[in-house]
Amino acid sequence: MIKFTKEEGMTNQEIAKEFKRIADLLELKGDNPFRIRAYRRAAQNIEALSRDLSEIPEEERRKIPGIGKDLAAKITEYLRDGKIGALEELKGEIPEGLLEVIAIPGVGPRTAKLLNEKLGIGGIDDLEKAVSEGRLLDLPGIREKTVQNILKGIALLRKGRERRPIGKVMPLAEEILESLRSLKGVRKISLAGSLRRWKETIKDIDILATSTDPEGVMERFVNLPSVSEVLRKGPTRSSVIVDGDLQVDLRVVEEKSFGAALQYFTGSKAHNIRLREMAVRKGLKINEYGIFNEESGERIGGEKEEDIYNALGLPWIPPELREDLGEIEAAMKDDLPELIEPADIRGDLHIHSRWSDGSHEIHELVEEAKRNGYEYIAVTDHTKGLGIAGGLTEERLLEQKREIDSLNRKLRGFHVFIGVEVDIRGDGSLDLPEEVLGRLDFVVASIHSGFRQEKGKLTKRVINAIKCPFVDLIAHPTGRLLGEREPYDIDMEAVLEAARNYGKALEINAFPMRLDLNDIYAREAKKRGIPVIITTDSHILEQFRFMKYGVSVARRGWLEKRNVLNTLPLREFRSYIRRRRHAR
DNA sequence: GCCGTTTTCGGCCCGACTGTTTTCAGTCG
């Protein structure tokens, strides 16, 4: 047997994809639904791993939730052969084109199977042809309305609504939320869904409300100026389109069910399934109206989210943790993290000024920082290698240092640390000599070019920077840009190890397109005791407000205040800097 | 196919909505 080699790093995503495909094909086959769910659950848990499956010893893989004897063997098989026999067999039994048919919204496995068996349809093209020839109407249970829905579904699928970075969706959502909150008749109102869990990308906006006048609220909701299309409108649920192709769902429930509905519509699905399983074992039943005693039907609660969790013997779990990635187990042991809050942040340590490609003078950055309640910032402009960003030469940098020194003399209770974002060059060297870096307070290092180098070389560049005694922080360590650029092919396991060994901090870059480290690596950093710093990488003042997105990544990564260095008050952060400089 | 403060076998979340039906299956979140 030949060892199958390919680009590494993406293996987990590939295996997860294979499992999902098996699940889809089993569904088309009409297989045991629980078996299908097992594949989907395994895929989800694999996607959430921070380590590559190939690096996890075979005997340890069964410890991953949802991976048992059989799936562990299939993982081994994939790593060895690059394919899974069971999947290949399924492909032989079921036309793969049906996978695109079940991807059509409104068309599920039963319909796809029917289309295939009765009309020989093996893909979307066949289906469109059959529709135009009027052949679908020969089928049992399919009439004109269903045909129209299938056509709409195909159009929708082709349009391909992409997930958007949360930083682009949240402002829209907050705007809608505010315009609804001010309506007469609206009482409680909250975001729900993935937005409330602060997932890094969002597909639609979910809003939940209680009201004395549901019809009136719905009427005004579908008539908001930003609404371009009304998908459906009812007394308890309406859906509209805003901003091109972004769907917004508003649900209105009774006051006494608000908590249960909020819990339910916040998800995640995997988290809710776990809770309901727990409920069943306790003789309870959870639905979006409340939590009930299964036998007597007696209502135990539902007005608050806490009612649901407490009835199961659990403390309330913050939405950002609700992914079934260990939060339920932690809650059972009363061992949930005390998550970092936006108000814990005391300073921003990655900011650009007009000295390179930022738009503002340093004193303006200081004013903005104060408005955000900070006690310090580090000004970290680019270095000369980034000519396009007006990167600083040694001379310019030292000139900037003089300006900052003089500014600091005038400041009370606030401090500007003199920093730089030094470019890690293609050969792994830094863009400024160590004597210059040594005269600064805070050095951020990051990659801005040569993203496509091979893994070994890229990894070495970053580790080289970590080893440099003058570097404090590695910025946007994986280089990904949501929806635009994949993370570069870097061995994060090695980077994390190096950061731990050399006591260097890793950044959560709060820029909405970056969010890098992501939640998975942030959690891994915490596990290994690697300090994290959350920064905005601001180039204009308005970007200071991105901090909350960085904090949300930290929260999703289970980080507490103590794991994040820029929660330290000025005095303590200063002594941290001093200690580091002393240790060089 | 997974999993065990009920279980190594027998369970495995719950309801709304839609379109097609005269009582329900399929799909979705």
PDB file of all heavy atoms in Angstrom, chain A residues 4-29:
ATOM      1  N   PHE A   4      -0.398   7.671   1.248  1.00  0.00           N
ATOM      2  CA  PHE A   4      -1.056   8.751   0.526  1.00  0.00           C
ATOM      3  C   PHE A   4      -0.580  10.075   1.079  1.00  0.00           C
ATOM      4  O   PHE A   4      -0.712  10.354   2.260  1.00  0.00           O
ATOM      5  CB  PHE A   4      -2.570   8.617   0.701  1.00  0.00           C
ATOM      6  CG  PHE A   4      -3.361   9.551  -0.143  1.00  0.00           C
ATOM      7  CD1 PHE A   4      -3.606   9.253  -1.471  1.00  0.00           C
ATOM      8  CD2 PHE A   4      -3.864  10.726   0.392  1.00  0.00           C
ATOM      9  CE1 PHE A   4      -4.353  10.103  -2.253  1.00  0.00           C
ATOM     10  CE2 PHE A   4      -4.611  11.575  -0.391  1.00  0.00           C
ATOM     11  CZ  PHE A   4      -4.855  11.273  -1.710  1.00  0.00           C
ATOM     12  N   THR A   5       0.021  10.892   0.253  1.00  0.00           N
ATOM     13  CA  THR A   5       0.477  12.189   0.751  1.00  0.00           C
ATOM     14  C   THR A   5      -0.271  13.315   0.052  1.00  0.00           C
ATOM     15  O   THR A   5      -0.699  13.184  -1.075  1.00  0.00           O
ATOM     16  CB  THR A   5       1.982  12.391   0.492  1.00  0.00           C
ATOM     17  OG1 THR A   5       2.213  12.226  -0.900  1.00  0.00           O
ATOM     18  CG2 THR A   5       2.816  11.420   1.276  1.00  0.00           C
ATOM     19  N   LYS A   6      -0.443  14.386   0.778  1.00  0.00           N
ATOM     20  CA  LYS A   6      -1.125  15.559   0.212  1.00  0.00           C
ATOM     21  C   LYS A   6      -0.767  16.751   1.078  1.00  0.00           C
ATOM     22  O   LYS A   6      -0.035  16.625   2.053  1.00  0.00           O
ATOM     23  CB  LYS A   6      -2.622  15.323   0.197  1.00  0.00           C
ATOM     24  CG  LYS A   6      -3.211  15.261   1.607  1.00  0.00           C
ATOM     25  CD  LYS A   6      -4.670  15.053   1.554  1.00  0.00           C
ATOM     26  CE  LYS A   6      -5.043  13.654   1.953  1.00  0.00           C
ATOM     27  NZ  LYS A   6      -4.453  13.188   3.207  1.00  0.00           N
ATOM     28  N   GLU A   7      -1.304  17.881   0.731  1.00  0.00           N
ATOM     29  CA  GLU A   7      -1.099  19.041   1.581  1.00  0.00           C
ATOM     30  C   GLU A   7      -1.639  18.706   2.961  1.00  0.00           C
ATOM     31  O   GLU A   7      -2.756  18.230   3.093  1.00  0.00           O
ATOM     32  CB  GLU A   7      -1.906  20.236   1.063  1.00  0.00           C
ATOM     33  CG  GLU A   7      -1.422  20.790  -0.233  1.00  0.00           C
ATOM     34  CD  GLU A   7      -2.392  21.836  -0.749  1.00  0.00           C
ATOM     35  OE1 GLU A   7      -2.849  22.659   0.071  1.00  0.00           O
ATOM     36  OE2 GLU A   7      -2.698  21.791  -1.940  1.00  0.00           O
ATOM     37  N   GLU A   8      -0.827  18.982   3.948  1.00  0.00           N
ATOM     38  CA  GLU A   8      -1.311  18.669   5.289  1.00  0.00           C
ATOM     39  C   GLU A   8      -2.102  19.843   5.859  1.00  0.00           C
ATOM     40  O   GLU A   8      -2.229  20.875   5.235  1.00  0.00           O
ATOM     41  CB  GLU A   8      -0.114  18.364   6.192  1.00  0.00           C
ATOM     42  CG  GLU A   8       0.488  17.008   5.845  1.00  0.00           C
ATOM     43  CD  GLU A   8       1.696  16.735   6.704  1.00  0.00           C
ATOM     44  OE1 GLU A   8       1.523  16.728   7.933  1.00  0.00           O
ATOM     45  OE2 GLU A   8       2.783  16.527   6.145  1.00  0.00           O
ATOM     46  N   GLY A   9      -2.611  19.655   7.052  1.00  0.00           N
ATOM     47  CA  GLY A   9      -3.312  20.748   7.710  1.00  0.00           C
ATOM     48  C   GLY A   9      -4.796  20.725   7.429  1.00  0.00           C
ATOM     49  O   GLY A   9      -5.603  21.086   8.267  1.00  0.00           O
ATOM     50  N   MET A  10      -5.142  20.281   6.247  1.00  0.00           N
ATOM     51  CA  MET A  10      -6.555  20.280   5.898  1.00  0.00           C
ATOM     52  C   MET A  10      -7.175  18.903   6.102  1.00  0.00           C
ATOM     53  O   MET A  10      -8.333  18.687   5.794  1.00  0.00           O
ATOM     54  CB  MET A  10      -6.736  20.714   4.443  1.00  0.00           C
ATOM     55  CG  MET A  10      -6.353  22.155   4.190  1.00  0.00           C
ATOM     56  SD  MET A  10      -7.194  23.310   5.283  1.00  0.00           S
ATOM     57  CE  MET A  10      -8.823  23.335   4.498  1.00  0.00           C
ATOM     58  N   THR A  11      -6.380  17.965   6.604  1.00  0.00           N
ATOM     59  CA  THR A  11      -6.865  16.590   6.718  1.00  0.00           C
ATOM     60  C   THR A  11      -8.159  16.491   7.506  1.00  0.00           C
ATOM     61  O   THR A  11      -9.074  15.777   7.102  1.00  0.00           O
ATOM     62  CB  THR A  11      -5.813  15.699   7.406  1.00  0.00           C
ATOM     63  OG1 THR A  11      -4.542  16.137   6.989  1.00  0.00           O
ATOM     64  CG2 THR A  11      -6.026  14.265   7.059  1.00  0.00           C
ATOM     65  N   ASN A  12      -8.235  17.197   8.619  1.00  0.00           N
ATOM     66  CA  ASN A  12      -9.436  17.102   9.446  1.00  0.00           C
ATOM     67  C   ASN A  12     -10.663  17.540   8.661  1.00  0.00           C
ATOM     68  O   ASN A  12     -11.707  16.896   8.731  1.00  0.00           O
ATOM     69  CB  ASN A  12      -9.298  17.970  10.688  1.00  0.00           C
ATOM     70  CG  ASN A  12      -8.245  17.418  11.644  1.00  0.00           C
ATOM     71  OD1 ASN A  12      -7.640  16.386  11.361  1.00  0.00           O
ATOM     72  ND2 ASN A  12      -8.040  18.098  12.739  1.00  0.00           N
ATOM     73  N   GLN A  13     -10.524  18.636   7.936  1.00  0.00           N
ATOM     74  CA  GLN A  13     -11.657  19.122   7.158  1.00  0.00           C
ATOM     75  C   GLN A  13     -12.043  18.081   6.099  1.00  0.00           C
ATOM     76  O   GLN A  13     -13.220  17.868   5.831  1.00  0.00           O
ATOM     77  CB  GLN A  13     -11.324  20.455   6.480  1.00  0.00           C
ATOM     78  CG  GLN A  13     -10.824  21.527   7.434  1.00  0.00           C
ATOM     79  CD  GLN A  13     -11.724  21.717   8.645  1.00  0.00           C
ATOM     80  OE1 GLN A  13     -12.938  21.692   8.518  1.00  0.00           O
ATOM     81  NE2 GLN A  13     -11.139  21.879   9.823  1.00  0.00           N
ATOM     82  N   GLU A  14     -11.032  17.451   5.524  1.00  0.00           N
ATOM     83  CA  GLU A  14     -11.306  16.447   4.491  1.00  0.00           C
ATOM     84  C   GLU A  14     -12.048  15.246   5.068  1.00  0.00           C
ATOM     85  O   GLU A  14     -13.025  14.774   4.489  1.00  0.00           O
ATOM     86  CB  GLU A  14     -10.000  15.954   3.865  1.00  0.00           C
ATOM     87  CG  GLU A  14      -9.355  16.952   2.934  1.00  0.00           C
ATOM     88  CD  GLU A  14      -7.925  16.555   2.590  1.00  0.00           C
ATOM     89  OE1 GLU A  14      -7.540  15.385   2.873  1.00  0.00           O
ATOM     90  OE2 GLU A  14      -7.201  17.396   2.063  1.00  0.00           O
ATOM     91  N   ILE A  15     -11.576  14.776   6.208  1.00  0.00           N
ATOM     92  CA  ILE A  15     -12.214  13.599   6.806  1.00  0.00           C
ATOM     93  C   ILE A  15     -13.636  13.936   7.231  1.00  0.00           C
ATOM     94  O   ILE A  15     -14.575  13.162   7.021  1.00  0.00           O
ATOM     95  CB  ILE A  15     -11.375  13.058   7.982  1.00  0.00           C
ATOM     96  CG1 ILE A  15     -10.051  12.497   7.445  1.00  0.00           C
ATOM     97  CG2 ILE A  15     -12.140  11.974   8.749  1.00  0.00           C
ATOM     98  CD1 ILE A  15      -9.095  12.021   8.504  1.00  0.00           C
ATOM     99  N   ALA A  16     -13.799  15.146   7.795  1.00  0.00           N
ATOM    100  CA  ALA A  16     -15.143  15.570   8.193  1.00  0.00           C
ATOM    101  C   ALA A  16     -16.060  15.575   6.972  1.00  0.00           C
ATOM    102  O   ALA A  16     -17.207  15.137   7.032  1.00  0.00           O
ATOM    103  CB  ALA A  16     -15.086  16.961   8.828  1.00  0.00           C
ATOM    104  N   LYS A  17     -15.516  16.032   5.871  1.00  0.00           N
ATOM    105  CA  LYS A  17     -16.301  16.092   4.633  1.00  0.00           C
ATOM    106  C   LYS A  17     -16.691  14.686   4.164  1.00  0.00           C
ATOM    107  O   LYS A  17     -17.823  14.457   3.729  1.00  0.00           O
ATOM    108  CB  LYS A  17     -15.449  16.783   3.556  1.00  0.00           C
ATOM    109  CG  LYS A  17     -16.243  17.617   2.593  1.00  0.00           C
ATOM    110  CD  LYS A  17     -15.306  18.533   1.832  1.00  0.00           C
ATOM    111  CE  LYS A  17     -15.872  18.904   0.481  1.00  0.00           C
ATOM    112  NZ  LYS A  17     -14.872  19.585  -0.367  1.00  0.00           N
ATOM    113  N   GLU A  18     -15.740  13.771   4.264  1.00  0.00           N
ATOM    114  CA  GLU A  18     -16.028  12.390   3.866  1.00  0.00           C
ATOM    115  C   GLU A  18     -17.160  11.822   4.733  1.00  0.00           C
ATOM    116  O   GLU A  18     -18.071  11.175   4.232  1.00  0.00           O
ATOM    117  CB  GLU A  18     -14.788  11.511   4.036  1.00  0.00           C
ATOM    118  CG  GLU A  18     -13.597  11.903   3.177  1.00  0.00           C
ATOM    119  CD  GLU A  18     -13.634  11.278   1.787  1.00  0.00           C
ATOM    120  OE1 GLU A  18     -13.601  10.039   1.673  1.00  0.00           O
ATOM    121  OE2 GLU A  18     -13.702  12.051   0.817  1.00  0.00           O
ATOM    122  N   PHE A  19     -17.098  12.085   6.038  1.00  0.00           N
ATOM    123  CA  PHE A  19     -18.131  11.564   6.943  1.00  0.00           C
ATOM    124  C   PHE A  19     -19.489  12.181   6.626  1.00  0.00           C
ATOM    125  O   PHE A  19     -20.518  11.511   6.649  1.00  0.00           O
ATOM    126  CB  PHE A  19     -17.750  11.832   8.407  1.00  0.00           C
ATOM    127  CG  PHE A  19     -16.717  10.861   8.944  1.00  0.00           C
ATOM    128  CD1 PHE A  19     -16.249  10.962  10.250  1.00  0.00           C
ATOM    129  CD2 PHE A  19     -16.217   9.838   8.149  1.00  0.00           C
ATOM    130  CE1 PHE A  19     -15.302  10.065  10.746  1.00  0.00           C
ATOM    131  CE2 PHE A  19     -15.269   8.945   8.633  1.00  0.00           C
ATOM    132  CZ  PHE A  19     -14.808   9.066   9.928  1.00  0.00           C
ATOM    133  N   LYS A  20     -19.467  13.487   6.312  1.00  0.00           N
ATOM    134  CA  LYS A  20     -20.741  14.133   5.993  1.00  0.00           C
ATOM    135  C   LYS A  20     -21.314  13.548   4.706  1.00  0.00           C
ATOM    136  O   LYS A  20     -22.527  13.398   4.572  1.00  0.00           O
ATOM    137  CB  LYS A  20     -20.541  15.645   5.829  1.00  0.00           C
ATOM    138  CG  LYS A  20     -20.403  16.374   7.152  1.00  0.00           C
ATOM    139  CD  LYS A  20     -20.514  17.869   6.919  1.00  0.00           C
ATOM    140  CE  LYS A  20     -19.390  18.596   7.618  1.00  0.00           C
ATOM    141  NZ  LYS A  20     -19.296  19.997   7.259  1.00  0.00           N
ATOM    142  N   ARG A  21     -20.418  13.247   3.791  1.00  0.00           N
ATOM    143  CA  ARG A  21     -20.883  12.680   2.524  1.00  0.00           C
ATOM    144  C   ARG A  21     -21.481  11.282   2.755  1.00  0.00           C
ATOM    145  O   ARG A  21     -22.515  10.953   2.203  1.00  0.00           O
ATOM    146  CB  ARG A  21     -19.712  12.611   1.539  1.00  0.00           C
ATOM    147  CG  ARG A  21     -20.124  12.159   0.173  1.00  0.00           C
ATOM    148  CD  ARG A  21     -19.122  12.570  -0.864  1.00  0.00           C
ATOM    149  NE  ARG A  21     -19.058  14.027  -1.001  1.00  0.00           N
ATOM    150  CZ  ARG A  21     -18.109  14.654  -1.675  1.00  0.00           C
ATOM    151  NH1 ARG A  21     -17.146  13.973  -2.245  1.00  0.00           N
ATOM    152  NH2 ARG A  21     -18.126  15.964  -1.765  1.00  0.00           N
ATOM    153  N   ILE A  22     -20.825  10.517   3.629  1.00  0.00           N
ATOM    154  CA  ILE A  22     -21.378   9.198   3.968  1.00  0.00           C
ATOM    155  C   ILE A  22     -22.780   9.379   4.557  1.00  0.00           C
ATOM    156  O   ILE A  22     -23.726   8.684   4.188  1.00  0.00           O
ATOM    157  CB  ILE A  22     -20.461   8.455   4.963  1.00  0.00           C
ATOM    158  CG1 ILE A  22     -19.150   8.067   4.275  1.00  0.00           C
ATOM    159  CG2 ILE A  22     -21.162   7.214   5.514  1.00  0.00           C
ATOM    160  CD1 ILE A  22     -18.130   7.406   5.197  1.00  0.00           C
ATOM    161  N   ALA A  23     -22.913  10.359   5.456  1.00  0.00           N
ATOM    162  CA  ALA A  23     -24.209  10.592   6.093  1.00  0.00           C
ATOM    163  C   ALA A  23     -25.271  10.922   5.046  1.00  0.00           C
ATOM    164  O   ALA A  23     -26.373  10.368   5.064  1.00  0.00           O
ATOM    165  CB  ALA A  23     -24.091  11.734   7.110  1.00  0.00           C
ATOM    166  N   ASP A  24     -24.907  11.800   4.105  1.00  0.00           N
ATOM    167  CA  ASP A  24     -25.866  12.174   3.059  1.00  0.00           C
ATOM    168  C   ASP A  24     -26.280  10.964   2.228  1.00  0.00           C
ATOM    169  O   ASP A  24     -27.460  10.775   1.926  1.00  0.00           O
ATOM    170  CB  ASP A  24     -25.255  13.232   2.129  1.00  0.00           C
ATOM    171  CG  ASP A  24     -25.177  14.604   2.796  1.00  0.00           C
ATOM    172  OD1 ASP A  24     -25.862  14.795   3.816  1.00  0.00           O
ATOM    173  OD2 ASP A  24     -24.426  15.457   2.299  1.00  0.00           O
ATOM    174  N   LEU A  25     -25.286  10.158   1.858  1.00  0.00           N
ATOM    175  CA  LEU A  25     -25.604   8.996   1.014  1.00  0.00           C
ATOM    176  C   LEU A  25     -26.437   7.970   1.779  1.00  0.00           C
ATOM    177  O   LEU A  25     -27.359   7.373   1.231  1.00  0.00           O
ATOM    178  CB  LEU A  25     -24.311   8.369   0.477  1.00  0.00           C
ATOM    179  CG  LEU A  25     -23.593   9.229  -0.575  1.00  0.00           C
ATOM    180  CD1 LEU A  25     -22.211   8.680  -0.887  1.00  0.00           C
ATOM    181  CD2 LEU A  25     -24.409   9.319  -1.862  1.00  0.00           C
ATOM    182  N   LEU A  26     -26.123   7.796   3.059  1.00  0.00           N
ATOM    183  CA  LEU A  26     -26.922   6.874   3.876  1.00  0.00           C
ATOM    184  C   LEU A  26     -28.361   7.371   3.979  1.00  0.00           C
ATOM    185  O   LEU A  26     -29.311   6.583   3.987  1.00  0.00           O
ATOM    186  CB  LEU A  26     -26.318   6.734   5.278  1.00  0.00           C
ATOM    187  CG  LEU A  26     -25.018   5.940   5.385  1.00  0.00           C
ATOM    188  CD1 LEU A  26     -24.462   6.030   6.796  1.00  0.00           C
ATOM    189  CD2 LEU A  26     -25.232   4.478   4.993  1.00  0.00           C
ATOM    190  N   GLU A  27     -28.480   8.676   4.050  1.00  0.00           N
ATOM    191  CA  GLU A  27     -29.811   9.262   4.141  1.00  0.00           C
ATOM    192  C   GLU A  27     -30.595   8.978   2.854  1.00  0.00           C
ATOM    193  O   GLU A  27     -31.773   8.624   2.898  1.00  0.00           O
ATOM    194  CB  GLU A  27     -29.683  10.769   4.382  1.00  0.00           C
ATOM    195  CG  GLU A  27     -30.870  11.354   5.102  1.00  0.00           C
ATOM    196  CD  GLU A  27     -30.584  12.728   5.675  1.00  0.00           C
ATOM    197  OE1 GLU A  27     -29.863  13.511   5.021  1.00  0.00           O
ATOM    198  OE2 GLU A  27     -31.077  13.019   6.777  1.00  0.00           O
ATOM    199  N   LEU A  28     -29.914   9.142   1.740  1.00  0.00           N
ATOM    200  CA  LEU A  28     -30.561   8.849   0.452  1.00  0.00           C
ATOM    201  C   LEU A  28     -30.973   7.392   0.366  1.00  0.00           C
ATOM    202  O   LEU A  28     -31.959   7.030  -0.256  1.00  0.00           O
ATOM    203  CB  LEU A  28     -29.602   9.184  -0.702  1.00  0.00           C
ATOM    204  CG  LEU A  28     -29.507  10.661  -1.052  1.00  0.00           C
ATOM    205  CD1 LEU A  28     -28.276  10.939  -1.907  1.00  0.00           C
ATOM    206  CD2 LEU A  28     -30.766  11.089  -1.800  1.00  0.00           C
ATOM    207  N   LYS A  29     -30.172   6.558   1.015  1.00  0.00           N
ATOM    208  CA  LYS A  29     -30.447   5.126   1.000  1.00  0.00           C
ATOM    209  C   LYS A  29     -31.588   4.784   1.937  1.00  0.00           C
ATOM    210  O   LYS A  29     -32.180   3.720   1.844  1.00  0.00           O
ATOM    211  CB  LYS A  29     -29.178   4.400   1.476  1.00  0.00           C
ATOM    212  CG  LYS A  29     -28.813   3.181   0.685  1.00  0.00           C
ATOM    213  CD  LYS A  29     -27.513   2.615   1.199  1.00  0.00           C
ATOM    214  CE  LYS A  29     -27.724   1.197   1.691  1.00  0.00           C
ATOM    215  NZ  LYS A  29     -26.463   0.605   2.167  1.00  0.00           N
TER     216      LYS A  29
END
